[in-house]
Amino acid sequence: MASIEYSQVRKGMVIVGGDGQLYTVVDRDLNTPGNWRAILQLKLKNLNTGSITVNRVRPQDKVEQAYLDKREMQYLYKDGGDHYFMDTENYEQIHLSEEVLGDAVDYLVANSKIKVDFYEGSPLGVELPSTMELRVVETEPGMPSATVSNVLKPAKLETGLVVGVPHFVQQGEVIRVDTTEGKYIERVRG
């Protein structure tokens, strides 16, 4: 761990709070009102509980930055509320609960490669790629000859995620989805 000033903290960083817990920086807002002291407002997500808090700190104060070990792992399967992953180098298996994974469960497909974050040997969560390719398993029949339009229809994907897709997308096709916003990007293949 390294000690840095709060002014150096950016979105996505993991810091150690005053309580010893790990927090991901969800958002930051630096407010400098005229000739008053600057105040930095941080929106932090507790990596153990998932709760989000807002902290106001002075930019010059110090905080510990946690360094996470990122390992590429293969997603294997879901058993009840647990999801199992295998290290691609040493074949060691771990499991993470749905509470820890959060919205990432909507993008987990068997045999896909996912980066798993570890801190001091313990798994904390996953880091999804910015886009994922998922198969459409259920959608209304559309007009295959329809061109791109602003009107979207709901489509259920292989993971259970429902996204809005254009009318030309049919059941069985593979689409690319933005994992940060959960939105359709493009059709990949039929």
Side-chain angles (χ1 to χ4, degrees):
M1 286 189 290
S3 192
I4 60 172
E5 289 186 0
Y6 275 108
S7 61
Q8 297 173 303
V9 171
R10 300 286 177 253
K11 279 185 188 180
M13 278 186 173
V14 178
I15 60 174
V16 180
D19 55 1
Q21 299 276 330
L22 294 177
Y23 294 90
T24 299
V25 179
V26 177
D27 199 12
R28 71 185 297 272
D29 182 34
L30 181 62
N31 190 2
T32 54
N35 60 356
W36 294 77
R37 286 194 181 129
I39 295 290
L40 181 63
Q41 185 168 302
L42 297 175
K43 188 185 246 185
L44 304 172
K45 179 179 180 184
N46 186 315
L47 290 177
N48 290 336
T49 65
S51 64
I52 294 183
T53 57
V54 176
N55 285 6
R56 295 176 70 146
V57 295
R58 295 185 316 186
Q60 65 272 17
D61 287 350
K62 300 272 188 188
V63 66
E64 294 291 324
Q65 179 181 2
Y67 289 104
L68 301 181
D69 178 24
K70 296 179 188 303
R71 293 190 219 158
E72 184 174 81
M73 301 191 92
Q74 182 177 6
Y75 175 65
L76 299 175
Y77 61 92
K78 173 185 176 181
D79 183 22
D82 290 332
H83 293 263
Y84 288 81
F85 298 84
M86 180 181 67
D87 192 314
T88 55
E89 290 180 15
N90 62 15
Y91 306 109
E92 178 184 314
Q93 290 187 19
I94 61 156
H95 69 277
L96 294 169
S97 68
E98 287 188 354
E99 293 81 36
V100 170
L101 292 170
D103 292 340
V105 297
D106 292 333
Y107 302 99
L108 296 177
V109 179
N111 299 322
S112 60
K113 303 276 195 240
I114 304 288
K115 290 199 185 313
V116 178
D117 295 330
F118 286 82
Y119 180 70
E120 295 181 348
S122 300
L124 292 177
V126 297
E127 189 176 297
L128 293 172
S130 59
T131 63
M132 295 277 295
E133 293 180 3
L134 301 170
R135 184 169 303 281
V136 176
V137 294
E138 188 179 307
T139 189
E140 302 167 6
M143 297 169 285
S145 62
T147 58
V148 176
S149 69
N150 291 341
V151 180
L152 302 176
K153 64 180 181 177
K156 185 175 182 181
L157 306 179
E158 60 189 304
T159 60
L161 178 67
V162 177
V163 297
V165 298
H167 279 278
F168 59 81
V169 174
Q170 301 296 317
Q171 184 172 320
E173 293 183 325
V174 177
I175 63 170
R176 186 167 287 127
V177 179
D178 179 345
T179 58
T180 55
E181 295 184 22
K183 291 185 176 179
Y184 166 87
I185 297 175
E186 63 184 345
R187 179 170 57 179
V188 180
R189 61 185 177 274

